[in-house]
Amino acid sequence: MIMRKVLPIFISAVASVLSVSGAEPRTSLPSAEGATLKLPYSNMALSGEFVGAAVADKDWYVWCFSPIVCPEDGKVHAFVSRWPAETGMEGWIEENAEIAHYVADKPEGPFEYVSTVMKTANFPDRSIMRGPHNPRLEMVDGKYVLLYICQDPTPGGHRQRVGMMVADAIDGPWHFAGDNGGIMVECQDDDPNHWTYQGAIGADNPAFLKIGDKYYIYFKSGTPGQMESKYGYAVSDKLEGPYTKCDAPITDNVSYLEDAQAFEVDGKYYLLTTDNLGGNTGGWGYLTLWESTDGLKFNLSDAKIAMGTIFDYWGSPADREELMQTPNLFVRCGSGKLERPAILKIDGRPAYLYAVGDVNIHGGSVAEPYIFKINW
């Protein structure tokens, strides 16, 4: 009975998957069947076209994929977080986790490994820094900027910090920004009146924007618990800081969110986040596109559904059912939700979206990021 209800919707979606190239666009997503959506669809959600895996490597979990087009060579360079397959999913917080550099001649790939940019051994203070993760690669003021988080290796500690590295060329050399070993944001504030006081985890999922002559690092912090996380920012007059945290959260989400990327289009500012539990969008695991006129406040009333799950753009219900029977399949969430989304602009316009899948649609036992062509 369920298959008979879902299949016609899926067929309709497949018929419109060519909307990017001119076919009639879809009007809904298959995964929305039976759901009560709280936000309208964005054009990218309905026009998304699955391209393939950005990186597929059985020896590595590959997670946060952050791409840019480099003006020096016109190629797409991406910094990703990865860790050895034998360490399992939780290896992302361990000693062997790293941030690696990949490159492709075009947005659709194939992406090839270039080098390891950062690993735990590179940190200046390993007593508070381990497992670099959540890379965000940006270009500002003619420099390359890499934001990341690092873990607190203290037994029982879950404090995370936002760090920054800067380089004049994509191939480096990279240096830790500022005068605090690269740490830009300490998000568990010592002031009991501050919104990040004793924040769960601390700070993670950093994003970055330059607005006017000021630099903004967006981060999330959960108080009193991680599931109450909201986004805020730290601001500076200088790229390498020091940064000062805002006095209150800047998102009014009603459900857990994470994974922000910040970007600007036509004078408006956007945050792209995951809606892990579906409470913000009404769709379990959907992506949320937040819009703001100043980049300092993002309201859910102005947001849209950015993308659905991987199964909205790949395969049939029968394909999904067969996939889920695969031995040793990587499954973090059976919904197929997308995490760590990243927009790639071409000629100043969002043209591609990259995100890791919570299910490996190729049947592999490790995580891999996927590429979607979008119509902004």
Side-chain angles (χ1 to χ4, degrees), residues 160 187 195-196 198-205 219-232 248-260 273-277 280 290:
Q160 295 177 342
C187 299
W195 71 278
T196 62
Q198 294 185 341
I201 291 187
D204 59 346
N205 307 139
F219 65 91
K220 78 174 176 69
S221 183
T223 53
Q226 184 183 359
M227 301 313 289
E228 286 73 41
S229 289
K230 294 184 183 296
Y231 265 88
I250 62 169
T251 58
D252 62 353
N253 52 290
V254 296
S255 183
Y256 182 69
L257 83 173
E258 61 182 6
D259 296 348
T273 66
T274 56
D275 185 20
N276 296 59
L277 307 179
N280 298 304
W290 302 74

Side-chain angles (χ1 to χ4, degrees), residues 42-282:
S42 67
N43 196 51
M44 59 189 279
L46 298 178
S47 69
E49 180 181 354
F50 178 74
V51 175
V55 177
D57 188 332
K58 64 180 179 59
D59 295 323
W60 292 89
Y61 283 83
V62 179
W63 206 250
C64 324
F65 191 96
S66 186
I68 61 172
V69 177
C70 291
E72 294 94 334
D73 58 12
K75 296 182 178 181
V76 181
H77 292 255
F79 280 18
V80 313
S81 58
R82 67 177 198 169
W83 57 95
E86 62 265 23
T87 62
M89 179 63 202
E90 294 308 308
W92 69 276
I93 62 174
E94 300 298 338
E95 190 86 7
N96 292 324
E98 63 184 43
I99 295 175
H101 179 186
Y102 284 75
V103 66
D105 291 329
K106 56 185 180 179
E108 296 90 346
F111 284 86
E112 301 293 338
Y113 171 80
V114 176
S115 63
T116 294
V117 178
M118 188 197 312
K119 50 189 176 183
T120 297
N122 301 131
F123 282 132
D125 186 355
R126 293 178 62 182
S127 68
I128 62 170
M129 303 173 177
R130 183 180 71 187
H133 195 61
N134 283 182
R136 280 296 182 203
L137 179 62
E138 304 284 353
M139 192 173 189
V140 61
D141 299 342
K143 295 182 180 294
Y144 292 94
V145 178
L146 170 62
L147 288 180
Y148 57 89
I149 62 171
C150 54
Q151 319 302 320
D152 186 343
T154 305
H158 296 286
R159 186 169 182 146
Q160 295 177 342
R161 298 168 171 87
V162 177
M164 178 190 290
M165 295 187 81
V166 178
D168 292 324
I170 191 67
D171 292 318
W174 292 84
H175 71 266
F176 289 102
D179 56 6
N180 189 30
I183 301 302
M184 296 289 108
V185 186
E186 289 268 9
C187 299
Q188 285 183 326
D189 205 279
D190 295 327
D191 180 358
N193 296 314
H194 198 269
W195 71 278
T196 62
Y197 178 64
Q198 294 185 341
I201 291 187
D204 59 346
N205 307 139
F208 180 87
L209 270 178
K210 183 180 182 183
I211 302 175
D213 58 358
K214 295 185 181 293
Y215 304 87
Y216 293 84
I217 295 175
Y218 298 90
F219 65 91
K220 78 174 176 69
S221 183
T223 53
Q226 184 183 359
M227 301 313 289
E228 286 73 41
S229 289
K230 294 184 183 296
Y231 265 88
Y233 64 77
V235 61
S236 176
D237 294 326
K238 299 179 181 179
L239 173 62
E240 297 193 28
Y243 283 81
T244 301
K245 297 188 293 291
C246 61
D247 294 327
I250 62 169
T251 58
D252 62 353
N253 52 290
V254 296
S255 183
Y256 182 69
L257 83 173
E258 61 182 6
D259 296 348
Q261 181 191 18
F263 58 97
E264 179 270 336
V265 182
D266 296 335
K268 293 184 177 180
Y269 304 96
Y270 297 88
L271 282 182
L272 180 63
T273 66
T274 56
D275 185 20
N276 296 59
L277 307 179
N280 298 304
T281 62

